[in-house]
Amino acid sequence: MSDFSVIGKRTAMVDSSGKATGLGKYADDFSVPGMLIGKILHSPYPHARIKKIDASRALALDGVVAVVTGSDAPNKYGILPVGHDETALAVEKVRYVGDNVACVAAISESIAEKALELIDVEYEPMQAYFDPEDSMKATSDLIHPEKPGNVEKDYHHVFGDPDQGFAESDVVIEGRYIANEVTHAAMEPHCTLASFEIDSITGNQGRLTVWSSTQVPYYLQHKLSIVLDMPMSQIRVIKPLVGGGFGAKSEIIPLEIIAAVAARKAQAPVKITYTREEVFWAHRGRPRTIVDLKTGVKKDGSIRTVAARVVQDGGAYCSYGVVTILYSGALLGALYDIPNIRYDGYRVLTNKPACGAMRGHGTVNVRFAFESQLDEAAARIGMDPAAIRNRNLLKPPCLTVNNLRVRSYGLPECIEKVVTGSRWAERKGKLPRGRGLGIACSHYVSGAANSIIRSDMPHSTVNIKVDRDGGVVIYTGASDIGQGSDTVAAQIAAEVLGCSMARIQVIAADTDLTPVDIGSYSSRVTFMNGNATLRAAQAAKKLIAEAVAKRMNCSPEDLIFSDDKVWKKGAAEESVTVAAAAPTVSGHVEGQILRGSVQQKRKDEGVKERMSFEEAVVTAMDIQGTLTGVGSYAPPPDARGGKHKGGGVGPSPAYSYSAQVADVSVDEETGEVTVHKIWAAHDCGRALNPVAVEGQVIGSVWMGLGQALQEEMVWKHGLLMNPSLLEYRSASGVESPEIECYIVESIDPEGPFGAKEASEGSLAAAIPAVANAIFDAVGIRLRESPFTPERVLAALRSKKAGAKKLQLTRNADPENPGSFREHGGSLCFKGKGPVRHALDPAMVRPGTTADAAEEMGGAD
Amino acid sequence: MSKILIMLNVNGRSHEIACEPNTLLLDCLRQDLGLTGSKRACDDSSCGACTVQIDGVPMLSCALLAVSCQGQRITTIEGVAEHGSLSALQKAYSDWGGSQCGYCTPGFMMTVNALLSETPDPTDEQIGAALSSNLCRCTGYVQMIQAIKAAIRAEQQGRAAKRA
Ligand code: FES
Ligand code: FES
């Protein structure tokens, strides 16, 4: 198919043996001499003023070295320049149950834990807000005083003429959809180890080194410099192996700052590792989202208008919130051809852990609503759901109505693949009751065209150093968090230089060693770091080619780099193949000889037509001295989107596309939904490493299924009821269906070898595909996720005359979700719910509404 | 709490360790012996990332006291590689995308390794049942199961080759 030697080949991850043997190091696997263990004291209140903190009893405990509180590091930070609203530890007040109040650094974990109990904190409870629509009405006790109505940010966009579009439509469908809150739950709990050196010149505390489980080492370096008032050059951030991120580690998590602040005060290295429960509190997951959606279509299936009002329950801090709410609107475009769009987005603050970026950032919940509603529209006009999607395709290259540039577009082929694979035409609508098929599509950016901190700086930079014996070292700031970015960089360099993967070393994500890369988020790494690597490798190759061309008496363009060799075009082909077949050991021997007596050897040989890679490198080095290639990537200006307010979020140099079909059955007795199989097709431009692409696509579909079927954060009075993997119900292997992945290659004109993103775009379609399949199976339209047995049963019963209605909690109709509920209506928490102890500090708060009291104890 | 002296046999080597009587095996392995391959990913023994084998049986090291493992053969992920090379299972995990972030991998490795030494040719149901004790958030298990099956095939071919 292609004439690449490394690209497109199933390649084992370069770091996979470390993972398989347990020798690979994650942040918590490091320790340094004299290291202390840090433990954080969290707030028991959702919203309260801190009147006094007294740590004297804790400090008196033997083994406690330091206690830090908010006043030790009051500088504000946040991942977005517009959202600097966090401090290392609470200053003045706490804003959610689990907010960070103090940190103890002690010689052991058990002592640190004991010391936490000895810190006396006096709180004054304030009115707390848990429901975003209530929170928006707040006039007093604002969560951040500078945000009136607890609205972090609202945007109102109009593209085209939505009213005209509705007027032209034959069918207009309106509905409210609610997607409950989910979190990443990466297997590795966050961990940070911070250690200061003593400066040789001043004799005082000097440079800081931080090992942290992060997707964004350079942003961490930046935020640490803000909080600690240190120049960035004095801070070294090292990202070891990271045990999964999914967005959870794509911003600065409190412990990363707290560990450094504690190390500064304790004058000793401090390591903090979250417990699983703390990971849930740190959160930064996908917000609960209310989507009021209205779609107008014509009888022929063409979409005329979409109007969406989106309210996100953002939690207590801004985090990525402003970006999330913008993505939700912007990514209404670029999947289908929609001429008119109205978008009203509200990012609302509530007294719960902050939501942030999670796989499919911003697009997932709105996509669930849209793809569900499109299915309803298809049913109303009597069109096949796959056909209505085909009816609304974009015609790239094009600019969407909201100024997104689309060039490569594999969606039609994706739809075709899953329709064929699932035998859609034969089976859809013909399955027995209780079994159904559903289709849905989604897409995602290949990196944001505008970085968080607006500048013209390149988003990725790579240095490649070639050694005299033909070893190649790639220095990249990109963060491999398990998705395989180091491997992709190695493959790209190997392909360009025509050398084997074995020659390549990747040194990544160490701010002292590697050039800057803005991090692993918004699926940007393959595209942007890949392009930077490509350019760096080409630069190195150019130097080699120029030197070799001189010796071969030809122009550099006439040289072919492949199979660890360099030869002149037209040189006797068969001898090249013979040489390629010979064991590479001989290459090593030759390399040894060359180092000693290259001049002599050259004289003996005269003009050559062919060289080993080592020989070519030595030839170049004799001229250049050193051999380094550098490359960078910045998205082109025409991909950076419109000029409207908020227009910076959504544009990307390229979009990935996905289509999925779900095959489900619904047990009408128990309400249980079983997914039998998912067919998922993903347009990733070009699959640089098919194993990795399939892994990413399957993994994101799987995570989408989690949100579709069982995962949800259940709250009661701002307290998370299920902060563990078991109660959060992360699926195990037995509960996970077969997912068949089709790779579609649309070869993007700008991606490295045509590649686009593969890790996020498929997640969003999984949820509506299942919702649509449930509708096909039993005729209920679930507009609230996840589709737990309780919700399915409640919806089924509400349809059946005479059946006993299922009373979940107020406004529980999952076909018609009215507003937010304090908890999700899951079986284990239905009715009375778990009652908190009367003396539980979180209960003693003003403004406890009658409603809450009722949920607490009273009426079922 | 004052420390006591215990003797643990880990990966065929005996170690004398001073630890508090309430030390968990996981902490003892990670902190006292520096065997950080076994991971912790939960607080309630639900994830399986810390799985080790005690006398060949997969067990959660976060739910065992180090003291209670004296006199038993403890095998951790560090003891799985064969003669300094990857075992067939480890190799297959690399080739088939069995691990992405790899944090769950050591635990799965110990679970599957025990399954395969008991049942060299397991059915799909047996593989599924064994895997259900461990959680992964990256792979969706599909490629992991492919890797396990590939390892079984490789082992069988190896054995067949040895017989021939
Ligand atoms: S650490 Fe999760 S089961 Fe042991
Ligand atoms: S590979 Fe990341 S959790 Fe399994």
Side-chain angles (χ1 to χ4, degrees), chain A residues 755-803:
Chain A
K756 303 189 285 191
E757 85 88 38
S759 305
E760 304 192 58
S762 279
L763 192 149
I767 304 159
V770 171
N772 295 342
I774 292 173
F775 179 76
D776 189 41
V778 291
I780 52 168
R781 173 60 61 189
L782 293 179
R783 295 189 182 84
E784 179 172 352
S785 71
F787 318 127
T788 54
E790 302 75 40
R791 293 201 179 97
V792 173
L793 217 49
L796 281 169
R797 296 239 181 123
S798 69
K799 280 242 147 51
K800 233 192 261 164

Side-chain angles (χ1 to χ4, degrees), chain A residues 169-197:
Chain A
S169 304
D170 297 315
V171 171
V172 175
I173 301 185
E174 241 177 302
R176 167 167 281 211
Y177 301 78
I178 293 183
N180 282 302
E181 193 159 335
V182 289
T183 196
H184 329 76
M187 284 302 279
E188 179 202 22
H190 303 260
C191 171
T192 301
L193 165 54
S195 172
F196 281 90
E197 278 162 37

